[in-house]
């Protein structure tokens, strides 16, 4: 309960997360690394917008483009 | 009365809050953790836009995407 | 006259204020707390956009979403 | 000539100024206080957009919403 | 050649400059003062958008609204 | 696993990467240098938007315009 | 290879560069000076948007309006 929000996300490392971006896209992938700016490194990532889905493999998501992140 | 605004939100931990986001979405959920950037960790979260509502479970909401937060 | 702008708003604590937000919404409520980032805590708050008005009770308004604030 | 731009605005205290905001609105009023972030406190303020003009009395204008400020 | 970009603008003080703003407006005027944030103080300023031109006299232009500045 | 996200991108130096920008454009090229702001230097870069593709050769991409970066 | 991205742009001083701006405009000119914020000073600059091209002579481009910069 006294964890910081980012600590809770840190515990999701190795698990699949869904990231909502400010440009409306959604990224899903396995969370491998994160930093205090909320920059994320995902593996086996897919990006989707409307009904289009694109496989990207490894991806660095810039923290300031994130609206929310949720373990799937 | 001399509390900072964020201290007052801190007292809402464990309770349900409604978050209005800059992208027009609304998030409701149980507030579990927050930090000075207003990053929030919610449980049993739902995101709604217009008439569409999506259950997300646990969610980290990035502070700089928040317009306002209100205990429900 | 040598007050900082935020000091003048500080004197409005306990009074009703109207807040114009960058997303076009207006929030009115009783100002209970503020900090140097202009984060505000309002009680008995109402949010209105166009002709729709919603009662929200207590609300934390993030400072960087504010265009102007005016004691009513 | 060696004044900083903000010093020159500081000399307009007590006088009427016109403020252009990033959301397209214009605010006019008597400048009473300003700080280094360009937060302004105006009295007898009016806000206008297109052809609509609203009297607001005292108003704190957040500095990061300002495009330019001009003594009238 | 080893001047910083802002030093080069500093040498334009007393001369007429054209400023392009992020909101699409253009401001022309005589540059009287500038600071490290690129806040500018202009005299005999005119603001134009599309085909409309407005005389504003003295004007403080906030640095973070500027796209580029060019001595005329 | 304890790498920071930016360290993982650093290992992609010398390889081809795809960069998604906030303005909707995509840049591909060989990553030659990066810094902590996520500013990138690419060689043999191409910029594409919708169906238009432009060869640019060497390019400095400003970090704060990046949504995500992915080794190809 | 161990240069920072900005060092690589620094080596383009005296040469012609093309700058893509966040407002969609493109600026070309001879790079004369730059700083760590990526503020640039160009000579013999031209600004183009869609099919319109305007000669501006000397120009200070604010770094935070830049998407990418490429030696021509």
């Amino acid at each position: 309960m006294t964890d910081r929000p980012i600590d809770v996300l840190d515990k999701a490392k190795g698990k699949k997360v869904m990231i909502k971006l400010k440009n409306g896209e959604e990224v899903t992938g396995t969370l491998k690394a994160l930093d205090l700016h909320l920059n994320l490194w995902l593996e086996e990532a897919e990006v989707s917008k409307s009904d289009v889905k694109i496989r990207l493999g490894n991806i660095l998501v810039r923290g300031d483009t994130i609206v929310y992140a949720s373990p799937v």
Side-chain angles (χ1 to χ4, degrees), chain A residues 9-33:
Chain A
L9 188 61
D10 195 73
K11 291 175 187 160
K13 283 202 294 195
K15 298 179 186 156
K16 198 175 174 189
V17 295
M18 186 278 282
I19 314 295
K20 176 81 171 198
L21 301 182
K22 290 179 182 168
N23 70 359
E25 295 182 351
E26 284 183 17
V27 182
T28 55
T30 304
L31 180 61
K32 300 304 270 185

Side-chain angles (χ1 to χ4, degrees), chain A residues 35-53:
Chain A
D35 65 20
L36 285 174
H37 303 291
L38 224 52
N39 296 319
L40 307 179
W41 185 265
L42 306 176
E43 291 185 358
E44 298 169 45
E46 288 187 331
V47 175
S48 59
K49 189 166 191 179
S50 307
D51 292 337
V52 183
K53 189 173 284 191

Side-chain angles (χ1 to χ4, degrees), chain A residues 47-64:
Chain A
V47 175
S48 59
K49 189 166 191 179
S50 307
D51 292 337
V52 183
K53 189 173 284 191
I54 299 168
R55 276 169 203 263
L56 285 175
N58 297 339
I59 187 173
L60 168 68
V61 179
R62 203 179 141 91
D64 73 352

